[in-house]
Structure formats: C-alpha cells, structure tokens
C-alpha cells in the first residue's frame, strides 16, 4: 500500500508579478524531502505554498496520511493546518529553521526537525508515526 505525504515546504509558487521565483534553498530542500519520501514508497501531494491551499486539500477529497510542515508559508502561520491535521489524527512533523519556542504550546508533542535537517531520519520518524494505531497518535 502506498503512503501519501503532502509536503508543505515551499514558501512561494510565484512572485507578486506572477513570474516563477528563482530556485532557493527551500526549493532544493523540498525536492530532497520529496525524494526521501518517495524512496520510502510515498506518493507526494504538493508541495503546497499557501495555507489556504493546504486547507482546501485537507477539506477536500484527497486523503493525506502524513505531512511535513514548515512553520510559515508565504509569511502565513501554518498552525491552522496543524490544528486541522491534529483534529483528524493525521501525523505530521515540523521541519523549520525556528526552534521549539516558535511552536505554539498545543503542539509541544509534535516532532520538530530543525535545519539543517537529517531528512532520512525525519522521514523515517514520520513513517513510524503513521504506522501507529489512530488511538495512539497525538
């Protein structure tokens, strides 16, 4: 069975004038995370660069089994997405340049992976979280 991840790691899909942004480190990091997840059998949904788009996916018909969240998408807080995932029992991890103090207290039990990331270890941890029975998820 294929595991589906939705990566929400890009901060922007286009500049304010509609042109594509130059490839930055985040884009390369998102590609590296996606590659590591695919190596574990994942089907990738995303990356998603807008909080609103992420909520549309979560509230839509596409199932998501696990997620990697950056704290900010185009300067918008990811916490509404984290709340939606948590209410569904969908496992996720934070992957960010921020430290634990930037995480709202309600998410203190969610794994935080700080940059520079150990991508393979992070994806293995997420797979482990997804393998837990729903009743044991945070």
């Amino acid at each position: 069975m294929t595991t589906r991840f939705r990566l929400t790691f890009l901060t922007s899909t286009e500049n304010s004038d509609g042109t594509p942004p130059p490839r930055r480190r985040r884009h390369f990091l998102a590609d590296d995370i996606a590659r590591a997840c695919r190596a574990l059998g994942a089907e990738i949904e995303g990356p998603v660069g807008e909080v609103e788009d992420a909520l549309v996916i979560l509230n839509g018909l596409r199932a998501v089994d696990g997620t990697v969240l950056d704290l900010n998408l185009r300067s918008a807080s990811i916490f509404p997405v984290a709340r939606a995932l948590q209410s569904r029992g969908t496992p996720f991890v934070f992957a960010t340049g921020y430290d634990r103090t930037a995480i709202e207290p309600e998410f203190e039990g969610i794994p935080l992976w700080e940059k520079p990331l150990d991508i393979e270890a992070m994806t293995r941890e997420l797979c482990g979280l997804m393998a837990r029975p729903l009743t044991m998820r945070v």
Side-chain angles (χ1 to χ4, degrees):
M1 180 174 190
T2 300
T3 302
R4 286 181 298 276
F5 290 82
R6 183 179 47 76
L7 300 181
T8 55
F9 219 83
L10 287 179
T11 58
S12 168
T13 54
E14 60 183 36
N15 293 321
S16 58
D17 64 359
T19 61
R23 287 188 60 86
R24 295 186 178 99
R25 273 186 261 165
R26 288 181 188 228
H27 295 91
F28 290 120
L29 187 55
D31 289 344
D32 291 344
I33 292 170
R35 191 175 309 109
C37 290
R38 283 188 189 103
L40 295 172
E43 174 186 318
I44 307 300
E45 180 72 39
V48 176
E50 299 275 346
V51 169
E52 294 78 20
D53 293 340
L55 291 171
V56 166
I57 289 171
L58 289 177
N59 294 321
L61 299 175
R62 293 181 272 187
V64 177
D65 300 314
T67 306
V68 177
L69 298 177
D70 194 355
L71 288 186
N72 292 299
L73 296 180
R74 297 185 85 175
S75 299
S77 169
I78 199 65
F79 295 127
V81 176
R83 283 185 194 95
L85 290 164
Q86 200 166 45
S87 72
R88 290 168 173 78
T90 303
F92 61 96
V93 298
F94 292 115
T96 185
Y98 294 96
D99 65 18
R100 179 61 67 183
T101 61
I103 307 293
E104 292 188 7
E106 68 189 285
F107 303 112
E108 68 182 40
I110 302 300
L112 171 67
W113 288 85
E114 293 181 52
K115 296 174 188 173
L117 298 175
D118 180 341
I119 294 170
E120 287 76 23
M122 181 192 68
T123 54
R124 282 192 308 269
E125 179 174 34
L126 183 56
C127 286
L129 292 172
M130 291 184 329
R132 287 181 180 173
L134 190 59
T135 57
M136 294 181 63
R137 294 182 184 169
V138 173

